[in-house]
Amino acid sequence: MGIGDNERGTRVCKGVVFHLKELDITKDFLPLSLGSSDVILGMQWLETLGVTKTNWKEQTMEFEVNGRIAQIEGYKLLGKSLISLKALVRTLSKDLNGYLIELSNTEYQVSPPDPVPLFVQDILSQFECVFQEPTGLPPPRAMEHKIIAKEGTTPVSVRPYRYPYYQKGEIERMIKEMLQAKVIQPSNRPYSSPVILVKKKDGS
């Protein structure tokens, strides 16, 4: 793999169709543990492209497929990779500048939370059901909210919102938690709601 680890596959998925932008790729794929990555197109696929035109700065690659030119573009925020301490020291010694940061375990004592005032405790006890974590979808109401489209109207094709790759794991974790709490449910309808993560003031 690209990070230097060896990963051995035990099975193969034959003839999988992978949709990449306007390009359909039909190949045999190996199910591997890829961490937060979904798919890796390796050298066996790259060898089938023949002559390619690559712009490493813009992270684009052009090649010919079925008599037409196809282009794929990389995600520029992924331009980071793990580095070993040995390679880091070698780079610093060659460039003669930089910073070497040493991380060590530290111990700290967590201060107890501030006590809740009595008048607040009374309110929390009185409306305890309001402050409980939800465990399901709202019950049916007499009036349900609906968006009624004109007859014959088809859903508008909208691309998903782009988000930094490092947020992928957090989005999947939150969706898993909400599914377990049953506050959301799977849907196969043609309409969707884009996902947007907004940081809190404390950076979380």
Side-chain angles (χ1 to χ4, degrees):
M1 296 177 63
I3 59 176
D5 296 336
N6 294 324
E7 186 72 24
R8 181 180 296 276
T10 58
R11 295 177 176 86
V12 59
C13 299
K14 294 285 189 179
V16 177
V17 180
F18 179 62
H19 300 285
L20 183 62
K21 204 173 181 180
E22 299 178 356
L23 179 65
D24 290 341
I25 301 172
T26 304
K27 294 293 293 184
D28 297 340
F29 285 84
L30 301 176
L32 303 172
S33 298
L34 301 179
S36 58
S37 299
D38 294 326
V39 175
I40 294 180
L41 298 173
M43 289 301 301
Q44 291 182 347
W45 175 72
L46 292 173
E47 290 175 354
T48 64
L49 302 181
V51 179
T52 61
K53 180 181 178 181
T54 306
N55 187 326
W56 296 110
K57 183 178 181 179
E58 298 297 329
Q59 298 188 16
T60 60
M61 184 170 66
E62 294 183 358
F63 48 91
E64 185 175 345
V65 177
N66 297 329
R68 64 183 183 88
I69 300 297
Q71 183 187 78
I72 56 177
E73 181 179 353
Y75 191 42
K76 296 181 180 179
L77 293 182
L78 294 181
K80 300 178 181 179
S81 60
L82 298 176
I83 184 173
S84 64
L85 181 60
K86 182 177 180 181
L88 178 61
V89 173
R90 184 170 62 249
T91 302
L92 293 177
S93 61
K94 182 174 65 174
D95 295 340
L96 301 179
N97 55 34
Y99 295 93
L100 181 60
I101 302 174
E102 180 180 357
L103 302 179
S104 59
N105 294 329
T106 57
E107 296 182 0
Y108 63 94
Q109 185 176 2
V110 179
S111 57
D114 296 333
V116 180
L118 291 178
F119 73 93
V120 176
Q121 292 182 7
D122 294 338
I123 296 177
L124 293 177
S125 300
Q126 183 179 357
F127 301 97
E128 182 179 1
C129 61
V130 177
F131 297 99
Q132 291 180 351
E133 290 290 336
T135 57
L137 294 172
R141 309 291 184 180
M143 181 66 68
E144 294 289 345
H145 175 69
K146 296 181 179 179
I147 299 178
I148 302 176
K150 291 183 179 180
E151 185 177 354
T153 303
T154 58
V156 179
S157 178
V158 180
R159 296 179 61 185
Y161 288 168
R162 300 185 67 178
Y163 55 85
Y165 192 75
Y166 64 85
Q167 292 184 357
K168 181 176 183 294
E170 180 66 17
I171 293 176
E172 292 177 348
R173 183 190 67 81
M174 295 177 66
I175 291 177
K176 183 178 179 181
E177 288 183 355
M178 289 187 288
L179 284 172
Q180 292 177 347
K182 298 182 179 180
V183 297
I184 63 174
Q185 61 185 5
S187 173
N188 57 1
R189 297 186 179 182
Y191 293 94
S192 63
S193 299
V195 175
I196 301 178
L197 286 187
V198 180
K199 282 190 176 182
K200 299 180 180 179
K201 291 183 178 180
D202 61 358
S204 62

